[in-house]
Amino acid sequence: DQQVKQNSPSLSVQEGRISILNCDYTNSMFDYFLWYKKYPAEGPTFLISISSIKDKNEDGRFTVFLNKSAKHLSLHIVPSQPGDSAVYFCAASGSGGSNYKLTFGKGTLLTVNP
Amino acid sequence: DAMVIQNPRYQVTQFGKPVTLSCSQTLNHNVMYWYQQKSSQAPKLLFHYYDKDFNNEADTPDNFQSRRPNTSFCFLDIRSPGLGDAAMYLCATSRDLSTYNEQFFGPGTRLTVL
């Protein structure tokens, strides 16, 4: 049972346009959400996070939006650059029991075309 | 630079032949994790150490074991690798088990089982 879902295995956008990567979750105990970026032959690297007390967090070209009622978050990259081409993983953790552990989605492969 | 290092980056073993994967960290973090990631799948947590305390995930096969001889090093032992164990193995660290701690990943070891 997937608690974190990234329903788009891949996304292709033109350089300079906006990339929107989506993530849905089912566990209402999750209250901290992270995005990781992974290049081929490298480990995931932390990109940006958001806690459930916020609905938006921005860091340069990257913005994460959280809609708690819909259990949905999205990562916006504006403007997209070819170097952003990578697999993006959504992850979640929460309070209570073993929810401090990170639960990952399957990832979305973003390709930014020059 | 503080980092998580995994050796080797690529490991080929034969069916049933024990193999050990290595992870070291210079972050001085208390927690070290081992994940298994198969193609197009989410990273799956196998187990973690908080200092010397070992925590095995309920669905981790007995074939997988781990050792943490000191703060800096952690090993993943696969006693009798099967073809289904071919995967990327990711080591990660975090400062502690707080919900709001990000995890730092190594580059991974790609295991091939012949």
Side-chain angles (χ1 to χ4, degrees):
Chain A
D1 178 33
Q2 268 189 282
Q3 297 187 65
V4 176
K5 297 179 184 178
Q6 293 178 256
N7 291 319
S8 298
S10 62
L11 175 68
S12 183
V13 299
Q14 285 299 119
E15 182 179 4
R17 306 293 292 268
I18 184 171
S19 296
I20 300 176
L21 296 98
N22 293 304
C23 178
D24 298 292
Y25 62 97
T26 57
N27 189 337
S28 58
M29 296 299 289
F30 288 151
D31 60 4
Y32 188 58
F33 305 89
L34 308 88
W35 286 94
Y36 281 83
K37 176 180 180 179
K38 184 182 183 303
Y39 292 118
E42 294 184 14
T45 55
F46 171 75
L47 187 59
I48 192 169
S49 63
I50 188 167
S51 89
S52 60
I53 62 173
K54 295 185 174 183
D55 54 18
K56 176 183 173 182
N57 188 25
E58 192 171 355
D59 183 1
R61 295 186 298 113
F62 302 91
T63 303
V64 56
F65 295 92
L66 175 62
N67 183 333
K68 283 181 292 182
S69 60
K71 293 191 175 68
H72 176 83
L73 62 155
S74 60
L75 174 67
H76 293 212
I77 307 173
V78 183
S80 302
Q81 299 173 354
D84 296 330
S85 298
V87 177
Y88 289 79
F89 289 98
C90 174
S93 65
S95 51
S98 60
N99 282 323
Y100 60 84
K101 301 174 187 176
L102 284 182
T103 300
F104 286 87
K106 291 185 177 182
T108 297
L109 173 62
L110 174 66
T111 302
V112 180
N113 301 302
Chain B
D1 282 345
M3 55 189 354
V4 181
I5 302 161
Q6 290 189 245
N7 286 303
R9 295 292 308 275
Y10 300 91
Q11 176 73 57
V12 180
T13 190
Q14 292 180 334
F15 182 94
K17 186 174 181 182
V19 66
T20 295
L21 309 182
S22 169
C23 177
S24 64
Q25 54 131 342
T26 60
L27 296 160
N28 204 31
H29 282 172
N30 290 313
V31 191
M32 296 186 77
Y33 308 82
W34 280 103
Y35 289 86
Q36 179 192 65
Q37 186 186 16
K38 297 187 176 180
S39 181
S40 302
Q41 297 293 314
K44 176 181 180 298
L45 182 64
L46 296 173
F47 25 58
H48 72 271
Y49 273 95
Y50 179 80
D51 195 13
K52 294 182 180 180
D53 293 332
F54 178 69
N55 189 308
N56 199 33
E57 293 301 298
D59 57 354
T60 298
D62 292 341
N63 199 25
F64 291 84
Q65 312 257 311
S66 185
R67 296 170 283 135
R68 190 179 185 185
N70 54 52
T71 300
S72 301
F73 284 86
C74 194
F75 300 98
L76 170 62
D77 300 308
I78 308 177
R79 293 191 297 184
S80 181
L83 298 178
D85 297 328
M88 174 73 81
Y89 289 89
L90 295 166
C91 175
T93 73
S94 65
R95 192 172 61 245
D96 58 43
L97 290 174
S98 164
T99 296
Y100 305 106
N101 269 336
E102 67 181 86
Q103 292 183 19
F104 296 81
F105 284 83
T109 295
R110 169 79 58 191
L111 178 67
T112 300
V113 181
L114 301 177

